[in-house]
Amino acid sequence: NRIKLVRANSETGKADVYMFENTDTIKKWGLLQYYDQVDENLNEAQIAQMCQQYLQYYNRVLQTISFNNVIGVIGVRAGSIVPVRISAVDDLAQPRLLLSEKVTHTFEMDDHTMSIEFKNFQQLGGVQIG
């Protein structure tokens, strides 16, 4: 709920710090900070846009789901968006697009399996859980 980006400033020899935060979620969850250094060639508007995008992505409740030793699919890798439907799980009874965060493929003889971790990034009932 706080984004802190730092840009080196060769003119002053110091770092320029850019921070965006959401005080409502800080009150609710406590302070959760994302920190990163950005390219010195970025201008203030670009850095402000990055801060806003990071805040939009990270300042929400995320839902993750993992599967181990499932049937492998060669084309699935981290960053792939995959339709998932599991009728026994209420939130996944309807097909939902999930973002694969981590994928490990295992090849043993003629068997191809994978372990995969997903993040849900779609809206559910007006509440962003992804």
Side-chain angles (χ1 to χ4, degrees), residues 106-120:
T106 304
F107 298 90
E108 292 179 1
M109 306 285 283
D110 290 335
D111 291 332
H112 172 207
T113 60
M114 63 185 183
S115 296
I116 187 165
E117 182 179 307
F118 290 107
K119 291 227 188 293
N120 186 350

Side-chain angles (χ1 to χ4, degrees), residues 23-92:
T23 55
D24 291 337
T25 55
I26 290 173
K27 289 175 189 172
K28 187 175 180 180
W29 304 330
L31 179 62
L32 305 168
Q33 180 171 281
Y34 175 86
Y35 171 85
D36 202 359
Q37 295 180 349
V38 297
D39 189 299
E40 188 175 349
N41 297 318
L42 293 176
N43 64 39
E44 287 188 22
Q46 291 169 317
I47 295 170
Q49 182 180 13
M50 285 177 69
C51 282
Q52 290 172 341
Q53 288 173 341
Y54 280 135
L55 191 60
Q56 183 179 8
Y57 179 78
Y58 287 112
N59 191 39
R60 59 197 167 131
V61 177
L62 293 175
Q63 184 180 57
T64 62
I65 187 168
S66 298
F67 299 100
N68 293 312
N69 298 315
V70 297
I71 296 172
V73 178
I74 296 281
V76 175
R77 60 183 183 267
S80 298
I81 296 175
V82 179
V84 175
R85 180 179 169 266
I86 304 171
S87 57
V89 178
D90 288 340
D91 285 350
L92 296 172

Side-chain angles (χ1 to χ4, degrees), residues 2-20:
R2 176 187 285 168
I3 306 299
K4 184 176 183 179
L5 299 180
V6 177
R7 177 182 66 185
N9 187 328
S10 57
E11 292 178 16
T12 64
K14 297 181 180 181
D16 298 327
V17 178
Y18 300 86
M19 278 197 307
F20 281 59

